[in-house]
C-alpha cells in the first residue's frame, strides 16, 4: 500500500516502482505491472529495459500475446544494444505463437546476424523451419544449436524426433543417447528404449 501511494504521488524511485511492478505481475495484474515497468523505464532505462523484456517473455508464456507486444512496444524506440537480442527473440516468439513462420524467421535472421552462436535463436529457427516442413534447413539449425552448450540437450531431442519421423531409428538412437549424456530423464530413457526396439526390428528386416 505504501509503495502504491508513493507511486501515485510520483515520489517512488525506480527500485520501488520495479518492486511494485513485480508484485503486480505476481498477482496477475498485467496492466498495472506494465505501467509500473514503463515508469521504471522512464526513470532508469538500464533497469526498466530488462524488466520489460522479462515481463514480455512471461506474458508470451501465458499466451498474452497482445500484452507482450505492448510491453515490447514501450522499449522499441529506445532499445539499447544490450537488449537487442532479447527483444528480437521475443518478437520472434510472438510471431511463432501466431504461426507466422516467415516473419518469425526474419526476426531470428536479424538476431543471428548479431549473435551467430545464439543457441536459443538457432533452436527457434529450427522449429520454424520444421513447422514449415523444411526438414533439411530445420536439421541444419538444430545441428548448429547442438554445438552450443546451453541448447545442446534440446537440439539433440529435436534431431532425434526428426530422424524418428523419417524412420531413421538408428540415427534417432544416437541423438537420444547424446541428449542423455547431457541430462538424464526417465521420459527420454523410456523413449530411447522404444526407439531401440524399432531400430532392432529395422535391422532384422535389412
Amino acid at each position: 500500500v505504501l509503495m502504491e501511494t508513493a507511486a501515485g504521488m510520483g515520489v517512488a524511485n525506480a527500485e520501488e516502482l520495479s518492486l511494485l511492478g513485480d508484485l503486480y505481475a505476481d498477482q496477475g495484474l498485467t496492466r498495472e505491472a506494465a505501467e509500473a515497468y514503463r515508469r521504471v523505464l522512464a526513470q532508469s532505462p538500464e533497469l526498466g529495459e530488462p524488466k520489460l523484456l522479462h515481463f514480455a517473455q512471461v506474458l508470451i508464456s501465458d499466451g498474452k500475446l497482445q500484452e507482450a507486444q505492448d510491453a515490447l512496444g514501450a522499449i522499441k524506440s529506445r532499445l539499447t544494444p544490450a537488449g537487442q537480442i532479447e527483444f528480437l527473440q521475443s518478437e520472434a516468439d510472438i510471431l511463432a505463437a501466431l504461426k507466422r513462420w516467415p516473419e518469425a524467421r526474419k526476426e531470428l535472421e536479424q538476431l543471428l546476424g548479431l549473435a551467430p552462436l545464439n543457441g536459443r535463436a538457432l533452436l527457434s529457427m529450427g522449429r520454424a523451419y520444421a513447422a514449415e516442413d523444411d526438414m533439411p534447413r530445420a536439421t541444419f539449425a538444430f545441428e548448429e544449436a547442438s554445438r552450443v552448450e546451453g541448447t545442446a540437450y534440446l537440439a539433440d531431442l529435436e534431431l532425434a524426433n526428426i530422424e524418428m519421423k523419417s524412420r531413421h531409428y538408428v540415427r534417432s538412437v544416437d541423438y537420444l543417447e547424446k541428449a542423455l549424456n547431457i541430462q538424464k530423464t526417465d521420459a527420454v530413457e523410456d523413449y530411447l528404449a522404444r526407439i531401440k526396439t524399432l531400430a532392432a526390428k529395422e535391422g532384422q528386416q535389412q
Side-chain angles (χ1 to χ4, degrees):
V1 176
L2 288 174
M3 281 190 291
E4 288 180 327
T5 301
M9 295 173 64
V11 297
N13 61 34
E15 289 77 12
E16 290 167 338
L17 287 168
S18 177
L19 180 57
L20 182 61
D22 293 346
L23 292 171
Y24 283 141
D26 289 344
Q27 295 173 47
L29 300 172
T30 301
R31 183 174 58 81
E32 291 83 352
E35 178 57 30
Y37 291 142
R38 287 191 187 95
R39 293 175 70 177
V40 175
L41 183 70
Q43 285 193 26
S44 175
E46 66 276 11
L47 180 59
E49 180 183 88
K51 281 288 182 181
L52 278 165
L53 287 169
H54 174 72
F55 187 49
Q57 278 295 317
V58 171
L59 293 170
I60 293 168
S61 297
D62 289 344
K64 298 177 180 178
L65 303 182
Q66 184 56 58
E67 291 90 337
Q69 190 66 67
D70 292 343
L72 294 175
I75 56 176
K76 188 171 185 177
S77 63
R78 59 175 82 184
L79 199 63
T80 66
Q84 186 76 13
I85 299 296
E86 187 69 24
F87 178 86
L88 289 169
Q89 180 68 59
S90 295
E91 288 270 286
D93 289 344
I94 291 171
L95 292 165
L98 295 169
K99 303 187 186 305
R100 291 161 57 180
W101 304 114
E103 293 167 85
R105 285 192 289 102
K106 185 176 180 181
E107 297 292 327
L108 293 167
E109 285 165 3
Q110 189 176 345
L111 191 166
L112 290 167
L114 299 171
L117 299 179
N118 187 288
R120 185 178 169 196
L122 289 166
L123 270 179
S124 297
M125 184 70 85
R127 287 166 178 162
Y129 278 128
E132 295 179 297
D133 206 29
D134 188 341
M135 292 311 170
R137 286 191 172 92
T139 298
F140 179 79
F142 290 138
E143 285 175 343
E144 291 296 301
S146 74
R147 297 184 178 94
V148 180
E149 183 176 352
T151 52
Y153 175 75
L154 289 175
D156 285 334
L157 292 181
E158 294 283 5
L159 288 163
N161 193 44
I162 287 175
E163 297 297 351
M164 187 277 294
K165 288 180 177 178
S166 300
R167 298 187 179 183
H168 300 151
Y169 302 124
V170 173
R171 293 181 190 173
S172 184
V173 165
D174 289 342
Y175 284 121
L176 289 171
E177 289 178 339
K178 284 177 64 180
L180 285 168
N181 283 333
I182 299 169
Q183 179 181 331
K184 291 191 181 299
T185 66
D186 291 341
V188 175
E189 287 182 336
D190 290 345
Y191 186 43
L192 173 61
R194 292 197 298 272
I195 301 301
K196 278 186 172 180
T197 300
L198 293 171
K201 291 179 179 177
E202 181 185 46
Q204 292 170 1
Q205 292 171 357
Q206 291 177 352

